[in-house]
Short mmCIF file of all heavy atoms in Angstrom, two decimals:
data_model
loop_
_atom_site.label_atom_id
_atom_site.label_comp_id
_atom_site.label_asym_id
_atom_site.label_seq_id
_atom_site.Cartn_x
_atom_site.Cartn_y
_atom_site.Cartn_z
N ALA A 88 13.55 -2.03 -23.41
CA ALA A 88 13.83 -2.94 -22.33
C ALA A 88 14.47 -4.28 -22.87
O ALA A 88 15.35 -4.87 -22.28
CB ALA A 88 12.58 -3.28 -21.50
N GLU A 89 13.97 -4.76 -23.97
CA GLU A 89 14.40 -5.98 -24.59
C GLU A 89 15.88 -5.80 -25.07
O GLU A 89 16.75 -6.60 -24.75
CB GLU A 89 13.50 -6.35 -25.78
CG GLU A 89 13.87 -7.61 -26.52
CD GLU A 89 13.55 -8.87 -25.68
OE1 GLU A 89 12.44 -8.93 -25.07
OE2 GLU A 89 14.39 -9.77 -25.69
N ARG A 90 16.08 -4.69 -25.77
CA ARG A 90 17.37 -4.41 -26.42
C ARG A 90 18.48 -4.15 -25.35
O ARG A 90 19.57 -4.70 -25.42
CB ARG A 90 17.19 -3.18 -27.28
CG ARG A 90 18.34 -2.82 -28.22
CD ARG A 90 17.84 -1.68 -29.20
NE ARG A 90 17.60 -0.48 -28.49
CZ ARG A 90 16.43 0.18 -28.45
NH1 ARG A 90 15.37 -0.32 -29.03
NH2 ARG A 90 16.28 1.33 -27.84
N GLU A 91 18.13 -3.34 -24.34
CA GLU A 91 19.15 -2.93 -23.37
C GLU A 91 19.33 -3.91 -22.23
O GLU A 91 20.40 -3.97 -21.62
CB GLU A 91 18.79 -1.52 -22.77
CG GLU A 91 18.68 -0.44 -23.81
CD GLU A 91 20.07 -0.14 -24.48
OE1 GLU A 91 21.08 -0.15 -23.76
OE2 GLU A 91 20.07 0.23 -25.65
N PHE A 92 18.23 -4.63 -21.84
CA PHE A 92 18.27 -5.41 -20.62
C PHE A 92 17.78 -6.85 -20.81
O PHE A 92 17.57 -7.55 -19.81
CB PHE A 92 17.46 -4.70 -19.51
CG PHE A 92 17.94 -3.30 -19.22
CD1 PHE A 92 17.28 -2.18 -19.68
CD2 PHE A 92 19.09 -3.11 -18.40
CE1 PHE A 92 17.69 -0.91 -19.44
CE2 PHE A 92 19.53 -1.82 -18.14
CZ PHE A 92 18.83 -0.71 -18.67
N GLY A 93 17.57 -7.28 -22.03
CA GLY A 93 17.16 -8.67 -22.26
C GLY A 93 15.72 -8.94 -21.91
O GLY A 93 15.33 -10.09 -21.72
N GLY A 94 14.86 -7.90 -21.88
CA GLY A 94 13.42 -8.11 -21.63
C GLY A 94 12.99 -7.75 -20.24
O GLY A 94 13.82 -7.41 -19.35
N VAL A 95 11.71 -7.91 -19.95
CA VAL A 95 11.12 -7.54 -18.70
C VAL A 95 10.65 -8.79 -17.96
O VAL A 95 9.85 -9.57 -18.41
CB VAL A 95 9.86 -6.61 -18.92
CG1 VAL A 95 9.18 -6.34 -17.62
CG2 VAL A 95 10.34 -5.35 -19.55
N ASP A 96 11.27 -9.02 -16.76
CA ASP A 96 10.90 -10.16 -15.91
C ASP A 96 9.78 -9.79 -14.92
O ASP A 96 8.96 -10.58 -14.55
CB ASP A 96 12.11 -10.68 -15.14
CG ASP A 96 13.29 -11.01 -16.06
OD1 ASP A 96 13.10 -11.96 -16.86
OD2 ASP A 96 14.32 -10.36 -15.99
N ILE A 97 9.85 -8.52 -14.46
CA ILE A 97 8.88 -8.04 -13.48
C ILE A 97 8.26 -6.76 -14.07
O ILE A 97 8.97 -5.82 -14.34
CB ILE A 97 9.58 -7.66 -12.12
CG1 ILE A 97 10.21 -8.91 -11.51
CG2 ILE A 97 8.58 -7.04 -11.16
CD1 ILE A 97 11.21 -8.60 -10.39
N LEU A 98 7.00 -6.82 -14.32
CA LEU A 98 6.27 -5.67 -14.95
C LEU A 98 5.36 -5.06 -13.88
O LEU A 98 4.44 -5.76 -13.40
CB LEU A 98 5.50 -6.16 -16.14
CG LEU A 98 4.49 -5.17 -16.78
CD1 LEU A 98 5.26 -3.93 -17.33
CD2 LEU A 98 3.66 -5.84 -17.86
N VAL A 99 5.61 -3.80 -13.52
CA VAL A 99 4.73 -3.13 -12.61
C VAL A 99 4.01 -2.00 -13.33
O VAL A 99 4.55 -1.04 -13.75
CB VAL A 99 5.52 -2.54 -11.40
CG1 VAL A 99 4.59 -1.92 -10.40
CG2 VAL A 99 6.36 -3.62 -10.76
N ASN A 100 2.72 -2.27 -13.60
CA ASN A 100 1.85 -1.30 -14.29
C ASN A 100 1.32 -0.33 -13.25
O ASN A 100 0.33 -0.59 -12.55
CB ASN A 100 0.73 -2.00 -15.04
CG ASN A 100 1.26 -2.81 -16.20
OD1 ASN A 100 1.95 -2.26 -17.04
ND2 ASN A 100 0.92 -4.11 -16.17
N ASN A 101 1.97 0.84 -13.17
CA ASN A 101 1.72 1.76 -12.10
C ASN A 101 1.24 3.15 -12.57
O ASN A 101 0.52 3.83 -11.82
CB ASN A 101 2.98 1.93 -11.19
CG ASN A 101 2.86 3.07 -10.22
OD1 ASN A 101 2.25 2.99 -9.20
ND2 ASN A 101 3.50 4.17 -10.56
N ALA A 102 1.65 3.60 -13.78
CA ALA A 102 1.39 4.93 -14.16
C ALA A 102 -0.12 5.22 -14.06
O ALA A 102 -0.94 4.36 -14.45
CB ALA A 102 1.81 5.22 -15.59
N GLY A 103 -0.49 6.38 -13.54
CA GLY A 103 -1.93 6.67 -13.39
C GLY A 103 -2.16 8.14 -13.14
O GLY A 103 -1.29 8.86 -12.65
N ILE A 104 -3.34 8.59 -13.49
CA ILE A 104 -3.79 9.98 -13.27
C ILE A 104 -5.20 9.94 -12.67
O ILE A 104 -5.85 8.90 -12.70
CB ILE A 104 -3.71 10.81 -14.55
CG1 ILE A 104 -4.63 10.25 -15.64
CG2 ILE A 104 -2.28 10.97 -15.05
CD1 ILE A 104 -4.85 11.17 -16.84
#
Side-chain angles (χ1 to χ4, degrees):
E89 182 71 44
R90 194 170 64 241
E91 300 292 326
F92 302 102
V95 174
D96 304 297
I97 300 165
L98 169 63
V99 183
N100 290 308
N101 168 78
I104 58 167

